[in-house]
Amino acid sequence: MAAVTPSSIAPATGPRTTGRLARLVEEIREVVGRGLPPDLTAYLVGERLAPHLGAADLLADEHREGDPGRYRQHLLHAEADGGFSIVALVWLPGQSTSVHDHVSWCVTGVHEGEEHERRYRLLPAAEPGGRARLVAAEDVVNRQGSVCGFAPPGDIHRVWNGGSRTAVSLHVYGADVSRLGSSVRRVYDLPADR
């Protein structure tokens, strides 16, 4: 396992928010303000996110812009008290993440296109001095409108755009990624089922 140096997340440019996104922020703020356990918070945030996915007025055009070099992150909102952040990720065909886990609970929802995901389990070393390894637990294709949520531990995965067109997803994290620079806690450099 390698430590992650925070990657830059560019703040939104132009219009900071749309009316629909502002409503979503309020809905998420209400859920997070309840102070519930992380897994339940993720579930309830997912319920709030789902009805907004695919709506033409959710994102400004600049929040759908990709980067030919790697998937692009657009910071849409960071709560002043650090309670949550919302990021739009734009994936051109073939772009992917490394195998990683997260600093907090997370909810993802596919706004446009589809994302492929491989979820992993971490197996301890079989013998003293041996290496731990990752075993693929599930392969999922998340299509437009799909929502999933999770909380550490058990949040190790790799995500990629396996389709032929741009994919856009919204990610809600239970942390301020504008301060942290990333939602990634660790990148796993272990033997893994690819």
Side-chain angles (χ1 to χ4, degrees), residues 138-164:
E138 184 176 18
D139 285 318
V140 180
V141 177
N142 299 307
R143 292 182 171 76
Q144 191 275 322
S146 297
V147 174
C148 65
F150 47 83
D155 62 323
I156 304 169
H157 69 163
R158 181 172 72 91
V159 181
W160 69 97
N161 180 351
S164 60

Side-chain angles (χ1 to χ4, degrees), residues 25-39:
V25 167
E26 289 299 323
E27 293 171 21
I28 294 170
R29 182 177 290 136
E30 186 276 324
V31 169
V32 172
R34 295 181 194 179
L36 299 169
D39 54 345

Side-chain angles (χ1 to χ4, degrees), residues 1 3 27-28 35 45 48-49 64 66 77-78 84 99 105 131 144 152 157-158 163 171 173 178-179 190:
M1 293 175 276
E27 293 171 21
I28 294 170
V45 167
R48 301 315 185 273
L49 177 60
R64 292 185 177 89
H77 177 80
F84 68 95
V99 178
W105 60 263
R131 287 187 78 188
Q144 191 275 322
H157 69 163
R158 181 172 72 91
H171 296 236
Y173 302 108
S178 71
R179 291 184 199 152
L190 292 172

